[in-house]
Amino acid sequence: MDTDDVRRTPTGPGQDGSGSDGGAPRFVVQIHDARRMHFDFRLEVDGVLKSWAVPRGPSENPRDKRLAVPTQDHPLAYQEFEGVIPPDEQGGGTVIVWDQGTYRPLSHDERGTRVSFEEALERGHATFWLDGAKLHGEFALTRFRVGDEGPGHVAWLLVKADDDQAVHDRPGTPDPYHARSARTGRTLHQVEAAERQHTG
């Protein structure tokens, strides 16, 4: 089945966090055709969207270790944004919501005690279960340093766990130019064309 096909959401492990509406916290993956094409991976944490730029996109294949570079927090309303950011603004380019859904924090400390997602991120290793339209199962974000010490030299790895939601026989990431929005079914090209028609 193609990565862009919408699949039935499985029942995963329980959660220990909650979203702004009292339900499960939300996540969104946006494809962003800016100066450099990339995926934006965003998790609702403490009232904001914690965000990472993932150049090659999240992968459902456990063999793929995806670089995830932290970016600024975004407001929760941004999880629904799909459109064209003007070229003279920061992040200028076309954006689609490739995937969206909820997640369940899974992190524990060295004694096996459940820790909050915020604490897991502070510790530098957070595991979570995604219930999305396209991404499912357990993933982990692990912090590491690249180059000289300092805040500008911190990056993370985003890796899929080898669970029954993983794929092994095909690429785990879609072609961003042909991928379709989980919200509207549109491609980047279609969103850009619609914007040109609207403003033309």
Side-chain angles (χ1 to χ4, degrees):
M1 182 178 291
D2 187 88
T3 305
D4 275 334
D5 288 341
V6 176
R7 292 172 293 183
R8 180 181 64 82
T9 300
T11 301
Q15 69 177 52
D16 65 355
S18 62
S20 58
D21 60 358
R26 309 283 303 174
F27 84 92
V28 64
V29 181
Q30 290 159 313
I31 299 179
H32 191 176
D33 188 9
R35 185 169 56 90
R36 293 180 180 175
M37 175 74 76
H38 64 277
F39 291 67
D40 288 310
F41 185 76
R42 309 187 195 279
L43 297 167
E44 179 184 353
V45 181
D46 197 22
V48 297
L49 293 173
K50 292 289 184 184
S51 301
W52 293 261
V54 184
R56 297 178 63 192
S59 175
E60 296 177 290
N61 193 320
R63 293 192 301 270
D64 296 333
K65 294 177 174 58
R66 298 303 199 211
L67 176 68
V69 180
T71 61
Q72 67 187 40
D73 295 347
H74 282 58
L76 295 180
Y78 197 77
Q79 65 188 315
E80 298 182 357
F81 176 74
E82 188 166 279
V84 178
I85 302 172
D88 57 341
E89 294 185 12
Q90 182 178 354
T94 307
V95 176
I96 64 170
V97 175
W98 177 69
D99 196 16
Q100 60 185 356
T102 60
Y103 77 93
R104 301 180 176 117
L106 300 176
S107 298
H108 295 78
D109 64 17
E110 57 277 0
R111 297 184 303 275
T113 303
R114 183 70 62 90
V115 299
S116 70
F117 199 73
E118 295 90 334
E119 182 177 347
L121 288 175
E122 290 177 6
R123 288 169 173 257
H125 181 73
T127 57
F128 47 94
W129 183 282
L130 296 182
D131 287 318
K134 300 169 185 176
L135 295 176
H136 303 282
E138 184 178 339
F139 287 77
L141 277 164
T142 303
R143 185 174 59 220
F144 69 99
R145 295 190 181 275
V146 290
D148 297 331
E149 295 291 317
H153 298 275
V154 174
W156 298 67
L157 287 177
L158 176 63
V159 180
K160 176 77 181 76
D162 193 4
D163 57 23
D164 60 2
Q165 305 297 322
V167 303
H168 301 91
D169 57 348
R170 59 175 171 80
T173 305
D175 175 352
Y177 293 101
H178 294 94
R180 292 189 176 273
S181 165
R183 295 190 69 233
T184 64
R186 299 184 298 174
T187 64
L188 286 165
H189 175 74
Q190 289 171 328
V191 169
E192 184 178 359
E195 183 74 12
R196 284 199 307 266
Q197 185 177 25
H198 176 72
T199 57

